[in-house]
Amino acid sequence: SPRQSKKKNSMELKAFVGTWNLSGRDPPKDLGYFIPVGLYDIYMIGTQECGASIEESILTNYTTRWEAQLMGIFSEDYVRVDSTYMVALHGIVFIRKALAQHLSQVEKSYVPTGFVNLVGNKGGIGLSFTLGKSSILFITSHFHAFVDKVELRNADFHSIEQRLPMRKSSNGPKACSDRFDFTFWAGDLNYRCLCNRAIADTLLRDNNIEPLL
């Protein structure tokens, strides 16, 4: 639950950000190992290709069942802030019901970075709001794949940073993450670690991240 901060009239909140590329498969019925409901004040759940491939999602919105499943696992202590999607990208945010009275300025948008920056098979979606006096932005993204496409992945990031329109002004920061007090960026970024899985797992277990970067 929210904790009173040392600063007057402020609270310390815990946020959970989860991202999952399901590669077109349906989500499992039990999401308990993925989403620790009840331990956090704010939840952002981002998915890529959840229940449908990119190709299928271009023609049909498959997010209704997924949102219904998520609504079912959050107790009456939480409320849905909003959700947003673009092709096979989806993001949804929940907050504790007790915080809802402090919520304002909810916005959402999307940035396609696929073919000529028009096709939404790759790109990012954003959902932002103000909670109390703090502005918060959540981004879910899906960057270009394949080992040799590092420059395209970097371009995906910069394009989303510059083109997400929320709270953009002519004399304000150009990068969307600089327009908010807190920005949480998640997704299938598709950057590669140049080692095999066994080595990567060992380094992660040892909390030895540096060789992977």
Side-chain angles (χ1 to χ4, degrees):
S1 61
R3 297 167 304 284
Q4 195 70 35
S5 171
K6 293 179 181 179
K7 295 182 179 180
K8 189 176 181 181
N9 297 324
S10 64
M11 289 182 175
E12 293 180 357
L13 303 177
K14 294 174 65 178
F16 173 88
V17 178
T19 183
W20 192 359
N21 187 331
L22 284 85
S23 301
R25 297 185 297 270
D26 288 331
K29 292 181 180 180
D30 182 6
L31 294 171
Y33 68 93
F34 174 46
I35 307 173
V37 176
L39 300 182
Y40 296 84
D41 306 300
I42 307 170
Y43 288 81
M44 193 287 285
I45 311 299
T47 54
Q48 306 82 37
E49 302 176 54
C50 179
S53 67
I54 291 175
E55 293 76 15
E56 292 170 323
S57 299
I58 288 175
L59 300 175
T60 306
N61 177 7
Y62 284 87
T63 62
T64 304
R65 281 187 303 162
W66 174 234
E67 286 204 14
Q69 183 176 356
L70 290 174
M71 294 287 289
I73 70 170
F74 281 93
S75 69
E76 59 185 18
D77 294 330
Y78 290 88
V79 295
R80 172 184 174 275
V81 174
D82 206 343
S83 65
T84 183
Y85 81 97
M86 177 184 69
V87 187
L89 266 176
H90 179 263
I92 188 168
V93 174
F94 295 88
I95 64 171
R96 289 192 188 274
K97 184 179 289 187
L99 298 172
Q101 61 181 316
H102 305 293
L103 184 68
S104 63
Q105 292 182 278
V106 179
E107 298 179 78
K108 58 187 177 183
S109 191
Y110 60 90
V111 173
T113 63
F115 182 67
V116 296
N117 282 336
L118 293 175
V119 181
N121 61 313
K122 294 294 186 284
I125 53 178
L127 202 161
S128 67
F129 53 88
T130 296
L131 195 58
K133 294 183 179 180
S134 297
S135 57
I136 304 172
L137 170 64
F138 290 98
I139 298 172
T140 301
S141 55
H142 195 177
F143 291 176
H144 281 80
F146 303 111
V147 173
D148 61 340
K149 302 300 183 184
V150 175
E151 289 188 6
L152 276 178
R153 288 190 278 277
N154 293 343
D156 289 335
F157 168 77
H158 290 294
S159 183
I160 296 165
E161 268 277 76
Q162 299 296 320
R163 293 168 57 202
L164 263 181
M166 288 96 86
R167 308 199 185 188
K168 194 171 190 176
S169 62
S170 58
N171 57 353
K174 296 190 183 314
C176 62
S177 59
D178 290 334
R179 300 176 218 142
F180 293 85
D181 297 318
F182 301 96
T183 298
F184 298 86
W185 193 309
D188 182 356
L189 307 183
N190 263 318
Y191 287 100
R192 308 304 207 239
C193 296
L194 299 181
C195 64
N196 64 42
R197 182 59 182 264
I199 293 173
D201 286 344
T202 299
L203 291 170
L204 290 171
R205 279 195 299 269
D206 295 341
N207 199 27
N208 185 13
I209 307 298
E210 190 64 30
L212 297 174
L213 301 178

